[in-house]
Amino acid sequence: MKRVVIVRYGEIVLKGANRGFFEDKLVSRIRNQLKNYEGLKVYKKHSLIYVDVENFEEREIIKKIKKIFGVILVSAAHKISAEMEEIKLIALQELQEVTTTKNIDTFKIVTKRANKKFPLKSLEISSEVGSYILQNHKNIKVDVHNPDATIYIEVRDEAYVYSEKIKGYGGLPVGTGGKALLLLSGGIDSPVAGWMIGNRGMQIEALHFHSYPYTSERAKEKVIDLANVLSNYVGRFRIYSINLLPIQKEINEKCKEEEMTIISRRFMMKIAEKIACKKNLDALVTGENLGQVASQTIQSMSVINESVTIPILRPLVAMNKVDIINMAKEIGTYETSILPFEDCCTVFLPKRPITKPRLERILSSEEKLDVECLVDEAIKNMRTETSDGEW
Ligand code: ATP
Ligand code: MG
């Protein structure tokens, strides 16, 4: 008998001719994530991925695998020979293990027989193992509809017995869908946006704007902390930081007060586009959401879009705030996001930002600025760091 972790992936299976590419990527993501466990074996067999965890820290390994995009279910199983006597014994043992952590009055057996040469059919296996458990375990009943515990048996070349199905996040392995530049503020939304885009298989890098010394060093550290949490899902990535203050000062001096927000947003996009182009990134990602704040209107988004030609992805655009907050809690970014540090957008914040900007007016205001020169100057002073994470 051996301990093994079985990893199931969902959507990838649907990918037709590209399936092999997605599967290989997922296996290599898992290997990469677990590279510190020397000698650990990860392999694919019949559309499942197995990790031989005998003598390794099983729980730690499961926690890591659960975070890898593409994974839908993770189970830690006993791998045994495909013989009824052994299957019965181990199924009973598995149930006894469950009873040490949970009060159990009822159970059921679910069997999958992938090896069609095995002499008993799935239902026959379930029924025989179920009877054996009833004979050998006190005070327990079968309940096929709503059991307290389910014991899963899979009969392949070997047999696998387990009782737990831990949910992963599904999606596609990072690195199968191009690269994006995430505009990462210290808020709740942008880390969630980056996570969602990573879940669609994109690799990310991040760009942060600050207004040092108006914004503090601590505010920047907060962004790095968020990037580190995100890295546990999408891998380590580069964080570019840019001081927006000289641009904000210039806008403040030359443009109307209420245009501050929209014009600085357009600058952010232009800078982001230029960096994306230099670093070979395919799209920008923001945490914008329709109607969440006064400046996030469709009119404002159109005027922002017009500043660049690179696609701007807004994965949260139609989500409810409550759902975004719940996601941030699940990912582990929420507690950091709500720390009260100032953001660059709060510097020179207009009393009444325009909510329905008109493109011609914004363009004519921008004529008072040397846009290109300001953008280049900002990029010249860019700093680059790398996030820290599990892989
Ligand atoms: P968040 O919670 O992500 O800060 P928000 O609800 O505060 O978003 P805005 O402040 O309008 O909304 O920002 C919208 C988006 O613009 C952010 O989600 C982020 O992608 C980008 N953004 C805003 N401020 C910054 C910044 N300082 N650095 C990088 N990107 C930023
Ligand atoms: Mg914000």
Side-chain angles (χ1 to χ4, degrees), residues 182-191 193 207-210 223 244 261 265 268-269 285-289 292-293 295-296 316 321 337 343-345:
L182 169 66
L183 277 78
L184 183 61
S185 70
I188 296 169
D189 301 335
S190 42
L207 170 61
H208 173 65
F209 294 97
H210 60 86
V223 174
L244 200 65
T261 310
R265 266 306 133 78
M268 284 187 184
M269 295 301 163
V285 180
T286 77
E288 287 165 296
N289 175 276
Q292 190 180 103
V293 292
S295 59
Q296 290 180 11
L316 311 186
K321 191 71 192 183
S337 285
D343 180 62
C344 77
C345 303

Side-chain angles (χ1 to χ4, degrees), residues 246-258:
I247 293 177
Q248 290 173 306
K249 281 185 172 160
E250 194 73 6
I251 302 171
N252 187 48
E253 202 174 291
K254 301 199 172 137
C255 304
K256 296 195 192 99
E257 189 206 338
E258 66 268 26

Side-chain angles (χ1 to χ4, degrees), residues 126-165:
S126 293
S127 130
E128 211 172 287
V129 174
S131 311
Y132 180 79
I133 289 177
L134 287 171
Q135 283 162 20
N136 291 284
H137 197 292
K138 278 189 199 125
N139 303 327
I140 200 158
K141 287 194 208 115
V142 172
D143 180 347
V144 289
H145 301 295
N146 195 15
D148 298 328
T150 303
I151 304 295
Y152 299 92
I153 299 170
E154 287 180 24
V155 183
R156 302 174 183 276
D157 296 337
E158 290 87 14
Y160 298 86
V161 177
Y162 57 93
S163 57
E164 216 182 10
K165 284 186 171 178

Side-chain angles (χ1 to χ4, degrees), residues 39-196:
L40 186 74
K41 264 174 61 189
V42 179
Y43 50 96
K44 196 187 79 184
K45 206 169 150 187
H46 307 309
S47 298
L48 290 173
I49 296 169
Y50 296 90
V51 185
D52 287 342
V53 291
E54 184 79 28
N55 300 327
F56 288 94
E57 298 151 11
E58 192 175 297
R59 288 290 125 187
E60 285 301 306
I61 288 174
I62 289 179
K63 252 199 225 159
K64 289 191 168 157
I65 295 176
K66 178 181 141 55
K67 286 186 191 153
I68 298 171
F69 294 148
V71 170
I72 58 163
L73 285 173
V74 190
S75 303
H78 293 291
K79 178 180 175 182
I80 55 179
S81 54
E83 288 162 18
M84 275 315 279
E85 284 317 301
E86 190 159 7
I87 293 174
K88 283 191 228 168
L89 273 176
I90 299 301
L92 176 64
Q93 183 189 322
E94 180 72 21
L95 187 78
Q96 282 160 344
E97 273 165 33
V98 181
T99 55
T100 61
T101 55
K102 208 172 145 192
N103 237 342
I104 282 161
D105 297 319
T106 58
F107 77 103
K108 85 166 172 183
I109 307 281
V110 174
T111 304
K112 191 173 163 193
R113 186 184 62 139
N115 175 1
K116 299 298 175 203
K117 287 189 202 129
F118 194 77
L120 300 183
K121 297 213 170 92
S122 298
L123 283 177
E124 293 166 344
I125 300 171
S126 293
S127 130
E128 211 172 287
V129 174
S131 311
Y132 180 79
I133 289 177
L134 287 171
Q135 283 162 20
N136 291 284
H137 197 292
K138 278 189 199 125
N139 303 327
I140 200 158
K141 287 194 208 115
V142 172
D143 180 347
V144 289
H145 301 295
N146 195 15
D148 298 328
T150 303
I151 304 295
Y152 299 92
I153 299 170
E154 287 180 24
V155 183
R156 302 174 183 276
D157 296 337
E158 290 87 14
Y160 298 86
V161 177
Y162 57 93
S163 57
E164 216 182 10
K165 284 186 171 178
I166 301 164
K167 276 206 170 99
Y169 298 110
L172 300 167
V174 170
T176 55
K179 292 184 185 171
L181 183 61
L182 169 66
L183 277 78
L184 183 61
S185 70
I188 296 169
D189 301 335
S190 42
V192 176
W195 188 95
M196 285 179 77

